């Protein structure tokens, strides 16, 4: 494989194996050559009639994943195309490919960007404001290739019953993906219960999750089912699961393992039939290493891992999300839907969106409130630096997008020059994720620098 600039190594890689409603997970090394096949000596042995004795090889590097088909009868298919035997083809992390009749995914779990712990008020607001504003039952906005691959894998995961962990920065749409998994599953007709693990006082978490018996404590005047019982026959989403106190983690582990809930004050457990989806913006493996999160609970919840990329890494979705948020904000105010002028579109596209979908939604709602007419300009955007009045800018608004692009291109060129072509350091100096930085190099037709 060609040399590429080193990325921060992933914390964990696993191979997700899906056939029908069955899902299996096998550990993978971060670096090395892994033989996948039916033979006894294969590194990953798959007992399935469609798999050859040596079906394919995974070539794993810290910053790259490649699959090499070994020329078996049933072959390996990627993005609808059968791979030629013996050729190393690079695949994206978390991208599905087909070996024989099995769907395989090399899952790569990286820690999301560090975020300050949410206050209870912030955590309670997350479910209201961080998701995409598609009406109930409508599909979410999924246009970026990485997001399409993510939702394809999520649809396959949904068909089984495996516990699923969704990782991503605050406001990336983890709740939307969790709902998609539920709606795409055989449990879609059952309840979907969202539990914000950061929103409860520690003294109330146990009663809220597991329920209580009458007389279990002062104020418990009647029996009360907890949220896990309320999800019986459906799905429970444990949002911000990393915020659970250690004592509650131990009790939750028993529920995940035994599918039985012991109410506070009860002596006999109650059987529950639930599927668990957990979501977090924390690096749970670091929490495990620090002793703040149970290792056994982590591995129980992380049967399948879905990683939601930040909005800055899926720029193709900004414009359609703009339109969706505009329509929702206008409907809430009972007014006609305004449009964004070219300068506003360019400004929204150039913003880094550290707050992801939540920030975008708030920016659009604010702009709709401030707009006098049916058009929104940069003057209504909180990060605009345009002085008022600015007739010159308004007159040349259509050219702003190209000016922004030219400025960004020049900054990338300058950063590469300062750091001797090292893309990792150049991206860091601009405060830009490396994946986005590489996309911009391709977008602007810049030559890919060699590592020095």
């Amino acid at each position: 494989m060609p040399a590429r600039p080193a990325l921060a190594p992933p914390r964990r890689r696993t191979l997700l194996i899906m056939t029908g409603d069955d899902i299996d997970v096998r550990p993978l090394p971060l670096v090395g050559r892994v033989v996948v096949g039916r033979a006894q000596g294969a590194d990953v042995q798959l007992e399935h009639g469609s798999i050859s004795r040596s079906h394919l090889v995974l070539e794993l590097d810290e910053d790259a994943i490649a699959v090499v088909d070994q020329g078996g009868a049933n072959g390996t298919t990627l993005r609808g195309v059968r791979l030629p035997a013996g050729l190393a083809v690079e695949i994206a992390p978390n991208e599905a490919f087909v070996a024989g009749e099995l769907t395989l995914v090399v899952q790569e779990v990286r820690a999301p960007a560090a975020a300050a712990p949410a206050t209870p008020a912030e955590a309670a607001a997350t479910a209201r404001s961080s998701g995409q504003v598609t009406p109930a039952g409508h599909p979410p906005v999924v246009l970026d290739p990485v997001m399409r691959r993510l939702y394809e894998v999520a649809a396959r995961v949904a068909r089984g019953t495996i516990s699923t962990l969704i990782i991503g920065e605050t406001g990336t749409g983890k709740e939307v993906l969790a709902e998609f998994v539920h709606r795409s599953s055989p449990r879609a007709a059952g309840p979907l219960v969202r539990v914000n693990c950061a929103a409860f006082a520690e003294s109330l978490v146990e009663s809220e999750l597991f329920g209580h018996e009458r007389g279990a404590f002062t104020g418990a005047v009647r029996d009360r089912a907890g949220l896990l019982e309320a999800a019986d026959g459906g799905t429970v989403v444990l949002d911000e699961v990393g915020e659970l106190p250690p004592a509650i983690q131990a009790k939750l582990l028993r529920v995940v393992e035994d599918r039985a809930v012991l109410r506070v004050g009860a002596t006999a457990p109650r059987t529950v039939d639930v599927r668990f989806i957990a979501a977090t913006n924390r690096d749970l493996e670091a929490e495990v290493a620090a002793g703040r999160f149970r290792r056994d609970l982590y591995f129980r919840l992380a049967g399948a891992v879905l990683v939601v990329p930040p909005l800055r890494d899926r720029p193709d979705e900004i414009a359609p999300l703009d339109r969706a948020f505009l329509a929702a904000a206008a409907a809430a105010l009972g007014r006609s839907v305004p449009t964004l002028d070219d300068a506003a579109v360019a400004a929204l596209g150039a913003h880094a969106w550290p707050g992801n979908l939540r920030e975008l939604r708030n920016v659009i709602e604010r702009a709709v409130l401030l707009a006098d007419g049916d058009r929104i300009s940069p003057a209504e955007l909180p990060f605009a630096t345009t002085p008022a009045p600015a007739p010159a800018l308004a007159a040349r608004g259509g050219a702003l997008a190209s000016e922004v692009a030219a400025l960004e291109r020049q900054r990338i060129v300058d950063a590469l020059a300062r750091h001797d072509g090292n893309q990792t350091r150049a991206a860091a100096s601009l405060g830009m994720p490396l994946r986005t930085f590489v996309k911009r190099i391709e977008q602007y037709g810049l030559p890919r620098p060699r590592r020095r």
Side-chain angles (χ1 to χ4, degrees):
M1 289 180 291
R4 293 172 54 180
L7 299 175
R11 299 195 64 85
R12 185 163 67 99
R13 276 185 178 143
T14 57
L15 182 64
L16 195 67
I17 305 155
M18 299 177 280
T19 174
D21 293 343
D22 296 328
I23 299 178
D24 191 13
V25 181
R26 308 286 182 89
L28 291 176
L30 299 182
V31 176
R33 186 175 184 271
V34 177
V35 178
V36 178
R38 204 174 68 248
Q40 289 270 347
D43 300 307
V44 176
Q45 186 181 10
L46 301 178
E47 291 288 352
H48 195 277
S50 68
I51 299 297
S52 302
R53 289 179 55 78
S54 177
H55 197 102
L56 61 90
V57 172
L58 295 173
E59 295 182 352
L60 305 173
D61 196 356
E62 286 186 350
D63 62 325
I65 306 166
V67 59
V68 185
D69 181 76
Q70 298 298 288
N74 294 315
T76 305
T77 303
L78 174 67
R79 301 165 202 152
V81 178
R82 181 161 174 162
L83 300 183
L87 180 67
V89 178
E90 189 166 340
I91 60 173
N94 309 304
E95 179 175 15
F97 59 99
V98 178
E101 297 174 7
L102 306 184
T103 299
L104 308 181
V105 180
V106 178
Q107 294 200 298
E108 184 171 288
V109 182
R110 295 177 185 269
T119 66
E122 290 171 336
T126 299
R128 295 194 302 270
S129 62
S130 65
Q132 298 163 344
V133 292
T134 51
H138 288 215
V141 175
V142 180
L143 294 176
D144 186 87
V146 173
M147 289 294 286
R148 286 200 299 269
R149 291 194 292 266
L150 172 64
Y151 271 79
E152 288 168 4
V153 173
R156 294 296 302 268
V157 168
R159 293 163 54 181
T161 59
I162 191 169
S163 296
T164 304
L165 177 64
I166 301 177
I167 296 175
E169 295 177 14
T170 297
T172 49
K174 297 188 293 294
E175 300 87 355
V176 176
L177 181 58
E179 181 170 350
F180 173 83
V181 171
H182 172 70
R183 300 299 177 201
S184 303
S185 77
R187 296 172 173 266
L192 172 64
V193 177
R194 295 180 176 88
V195 180
N196 194 320
C197 299
F200 299 118
E202 185 169 345
S203 59
L204 298 177
V205 174
E206 184 175 10
S207 175
E208 291 292 335
L209 282 179
F210 308 116
H212 61 256
E213 298 286 288
R214 183 166 62 94
F217 50 83
T218 303
V221 296
R222 63 180 184 275
D223 293 350
R224 182 176 183 274
L227 292 170
L228 299 183
E229 282 187 68
D232 191 44
T235 304
V236 60
V237 178
L238 300 170
D239 192 24
E240 303 303 341
V241 70
E243 307 296 331
L244 284 176
I248 303 302
Q249 292 176 29
K251 294 187 176 184
L252 177 61
L253 174 65
R254 290 198 294 271
V255 179
V256 175
E257 290 182 333
D258 302 335
R259 293 302 195 268
V261 170
L262 183 65
R263 292 181 178 179
V264 178
T267 57
R270 297 167 180 262
T271 301
V272 291
D273 174 24
V274 297
R275 182 197 190 146
F276 286 94
I277 300 176
T280 184
N281 64 358
R282 286 181 175 268
D283 179 356
L284 282 191
E285 292 201 354
E287 296 293 298
V288 168
R292 292 187 292 266
F293 199 85
R294 293 183 64 103
R295 181 179 299 275
D296 44 10
L297 178 58
Y298 170 71
F299 284 112
R300 283 288 186 179
L301 294 175
V305 180
L306 303 175
V307 182
V308 185
L311 185 57
R312 60 184 172 271
D313 285 350
R314 46 202 235 228
D316 291 345
E317 295 186 356
I318 293 176
L321 283 167
D322 291 342
R323 294 191 291 270
F325 287 134
L326 280 170
L333 295 172
R335 56 166 291 181
S336 61
V337 181
T339 58
L340 298 163
D341 67 20
D342 291 342
V345 170
L348 291 167
H351 188 58
W353 300 112
N356 294 296
L357 297 175
R358 177 193 294 176
E359 181 186 5
L360 176 59
R361 178 176 182 172
N362 290 341
V363 165
I364 294 296
E365 288 179 346
R366 175 184 183 275
V368 172
L369 283 170
L370 293 179
D372 288 333
D374 290 332
R375 290 184 70 79
I376 292 174
S377 71
E380 285 80 52
L381 304 179
F383 43 79
T385 56
T386 307
L393 178 61
R396 59 184 179 90
L400 184 57
S402 60
E403 292 182 19
V404 170
L407 175 60
E408 184 177 55
R409 184 183 189 280
Q410 188 58 50
R411 291 184 66 194
I412 289 172
V413 170
D414 293 343
L416 287 169
R418 285 196 306 273
H419 296 284
D420 296 324
N422 186 299
Q423 296 174 71
T424 302
R425 292 202 299 268
S429 72
L430 295 175
M432 185 181 294
L434 181 59
R435 183 175 295 176
T436 303
F437 188 82
V438 172
K439 283 184 179 179
R440 292 292 189 270
I441 288 176
E442 296 171 353
Q443 177 183 334
Y444 296 135
L446 297 173
R448 291 289 296 271
R450 298 286 183 184
R451 181 165 49 184
R452 299 183 184 181

